[in-house]
Amino acid sequence: MPIDPAEPYDETNIFARILRGELPSDKVYEDGHVLAFNDIRPLAPTHILVIPRGPYVSWDDFSENASDEEICGLVRAVGRIARDAGLVAGGYRVLANIGFDAGQEVAHLHLHIFGGRPLGPMLAR
Ligand code: AMP
């Protein structure tokens, strides 16, 4: 069920628990700003989730309230993770779902990185 992106940050969400080490993840990268791990239900040969360490519900919250350093850290990390995964030559897609219409399921901002095969049209018609 989609989350309400207008709700305050919920410290019990599953990605907050992964960040605190309470739940495992298949980690591919971490630094002071982000954690990245493989999606548990991959939709492409490479399907990585990149999350900021800070408590941001969605892209809307992050883009308004995160520091320039946090925003820069996330953007640079996404590029580096895609390069390290060997996705640049073939191409890849970065996607964030925000709120109801996009079907956001987890109330902690996450960017999906998809790659490893032709990814088809941007949206189903
Ligand atoms: P979204 O629909 O953009 O909110 O995507 C949530 C994503 O989180 C989905 O692709 C899920 O497969 C993924 N997911 C949920 N729980 C976990 C988990 N414990 N570890 C890795 N990925 C997860």
Side-chain angles (χ1 to χ4, degrees):
M1 197 170 121
I3 63 101
D4 182 347
E7 285 288 308
Y9 187 79
D10 172 9
E11 295 284 350
T12 69
N13 79 75
I14 198 158
F15 292 168
R17 298 182 64 197
I18 286 174
L19 278 168
R20 290 196 296 268
E22 295 167 7
L23 292 174
S25 70
D26 184 11
K27 182 170 69 180
V28 299
Y29 176 81
E30 69 176 327
D31 63 24
H33 294 295
V34 310
L35 175 67
F37 47 91
N38 288 310
D39 196 290
I40 205 166
R41 289 188 296 274
L43 297 173
T46 299
H47 184 174
I48 298 169
L49 299 175
V50 187
I51 65 176
R53 290 195 180 277
Y56 299 104
V57 176
S58 71
W59 185 262
D60 182 61
D61 183 16
F62 186 72
S63 62
E64 185 167 20
N65 298 311
S67 67
D68 290 355
E69 195 183 344
E70 289 173 298
I71 292 171
C72 183
L74 178 68
V75 172
R76 286 207 188 278
V78 168
R80 175 176 176 171
I81 291 160
R83 279 192 298 279
D84 290 351
L87 296 177
V88 175
Y92 63 99
R93 183 171 291 160
V94 178
L95 178 148
N97 290 315
I98 298 105
F100 296 115
D101 282 353
Q104 181 181 357
E105 290 177 354
V106 180
H108 183 113
L109 170 62
H110 45 286
L111 300 185
H112 298 255
I113 301 176
F114 299 106
R117 66 166 171 78
L119 295 167
M122 190 159 59
L123 287 176
R125 290 187 185 276

